Amino acid sequence: MRLTRHLQIRLWPRALAVSALTFVLVATSLIAASPPTARGFAEDICYTPGAPPHNCAPLPFACPPNNGDDPLCGIRGAIRYGYTLQQPLGGRSLVHTDSTYIMARKVGFSLQDAYWIAAYSEATDLGTFAPRDMRSNKVPHAAALTTRDISGLVRTHFNTGGFLFHVLPTMRDPRSPVPNGLRPNVNDPRHEVMLTHIRRWAMEGPGSDAPLCTGGFTDRTARGDFSTGTTCYGGRNPAQITGQYSVAYPVTLPFQNVTGRQVITDGVTSERFDSYVGEQSANARIGIYIHALGDRISHHTCTDRASMTPPTPRHRAFDIDLVDRACNQGPHAVRHEYETGVDFHDLAAEDRTTEAALSMVYDELVNFARERGVLDPAATSPAAKTTVVTNGLVPALERRNPEARIRAVTAVGCGLGVPAFPGSPSC
């Protein structure tokens, strides 16, 4: 899928020339190899054929955990993520995958449902997901545990709208107060357009009339939102979606799309999602939403400051502005390196996204389990959530060594009666 690679460059103050130019050269070289990444809770575990899992991009020891805007660390972070993109077997996120699996099981979903929710959460980043073992080999019977291809939702696919499942801007006037992206309002369709749109689609489930639309844009409702309508915006007369995304401020990447049904993969649009995915479509919907929720939190320093404006009679387009230093690829990469393998208490409050995401994902899995009719009532107590999240997954994810981190996360599940995620060490 071809992506726009044209860069618009403006002048910056001379005082920033050396560090900015260095970063622009690095960022531009990475773009030449691949488009800018939107790696919400990026893969922290990477695979090499026949070798133990290793860290994809750990925080460099020289980089402080309390300054995500350090320019040299930004360059190092961008280079490390450029390396991650080249890994032949890819990887997985212990936040999107293993942690989601454990939480889903503990709130009441069956083992099978918990697995598929987690698998489709990871597939939202990768296109497809199949579990691998501690030697980076696919597990036995991996074919039966592999998701369908949903590459239209992948973070680097601008031309399908996949990018907006990972970088979810808010519809607000730039003069409006900055929202609290560490705990976004999932019941605010006027402002959290994409997030509430995916949530409604997931919550209503297979066979419902809720559409899945590019950018989350539906026809405007009587309440005034563009998120919860019954048809994708414009119908047979779609509108443009235009945007700018920071690479290394003020260097930006323009992107463009049109409203309509979301592309799932080549030749499949969203009205065919359930028949295409098959019996796991309800779990796949939840996994995709849970992933988008985690990414909204992960990228909040960027997307809280972003803005989005709807069409007008004189300008029939949705305009998305993601041009801010907080969206730059350097700080973006460093903040993903904060998400595992560090002591979260050392981070600035706005960078403690792992704790925030796990907390909110747990709450949303409770809501989905209740809707499905499988909720374990004990899971709704604050003590139960604290055991799973605060005292369980959070300290496990702080382990810097990748094998130790996998084993620690697995041990949390085992201690709660949840069998190991496929490929992880058995309980």
Side-chain angles (χ1 to χ4, degrees), residues 192-340:
E192 295 285 353
V193 175
M194 187 62 166
L195 184 63
T196 58
H197 180 77
I198 304 170
R199 185 182 194 272
R200 175 176 176 245
W201 172 76
M203 186 66 77
E204 295 203 8
S208 73
D209 293 331
L212 182 64
C213 307
T214 307
F217 299 126
T218 68
D219 284 329
R220 191 169 189 171
T221 69
R223 296 177 304 231
D225 71 79
F226 289 93
S227 176
T228 60
T230 57
T231 58
C232 296
Y233 187 89
R236 295 182 180 181
N237 187 25
Q240 291 291 308
I241 301 171
T242 62
Q244 295 284 336
Y245 177 48
S246 287
V247 177
Y249 186 87
V251 181
T252 64
L253 177 79
F255 59 91
Q256 191 171 50
N257 213 299
V258 295
T259 59
R261 293 166 175 166
Q262 173 65 41
V263 172
I264 304 303
T265 189
D266 290 338
V268 180
T269 48
S270 56
E271 79 279 8
R272 293 179 51 203
F273 181 87
D274 298 320
S275 60
Y276 169 70
V277 171
E279 64 178 342
Q280 297 303 332
S281 62
N283 293 324
R285 287 178 181 232
I286 297 173
I288 291 166
Y289 165 67
I290 290 299
H291 184 105
L293 173 62
D295 280 13
R296 170 68 180 94
I297 296 168
S298 173
H299 293 138
H300 84 96
T301 58
C302 168
T303 53
D304 285 356
R305 295 168 176 81
S307 63
M308 182 164 56
T309 55
T312 67
R314 299 185 63 180
H315 181 67
R316 198 169 182 274
F318 289 92
D319 290 330
I320 299 171
D321 184 350
L322 289 158
V323 180
D324 189 275
R325 285 181 173 84
C327 300
N328 285 355
Q329 291 301 290
H332 181 183
V334 170
R335 287 187 165 95
H336 286 316
E337 291 166 359
Y338 287 165
E339 290 170 344
T340 57

Side-chain angles (χ1 to χ4, degrees), residues 74-96:
I75 293 171
R76 291 172 175 172
I79 292 172
R80 283 172 179 260
Y81 272 107
Y83 162 77
T84 299
L85 284 174
Q86 307 305 316
Q87 294 306 290
L89 301 181
R92 82 177 191 261
S93 162
L94 295 181
V95 176
H96 281 315

Side-chain angles (χ1 to χ4, degrees), residues 52 65 69 76 163 188 233 249 272 344 353 393 400 404 418 422:
D69 298 312
R76 291 172 175 172
F163 172 73
D188 181 11
Y233 187 89
Y249 186 87
R272 293 179 51 203
F344 300 136
T353 54
L393 293 171
R400 186 174 179 92
V418 181

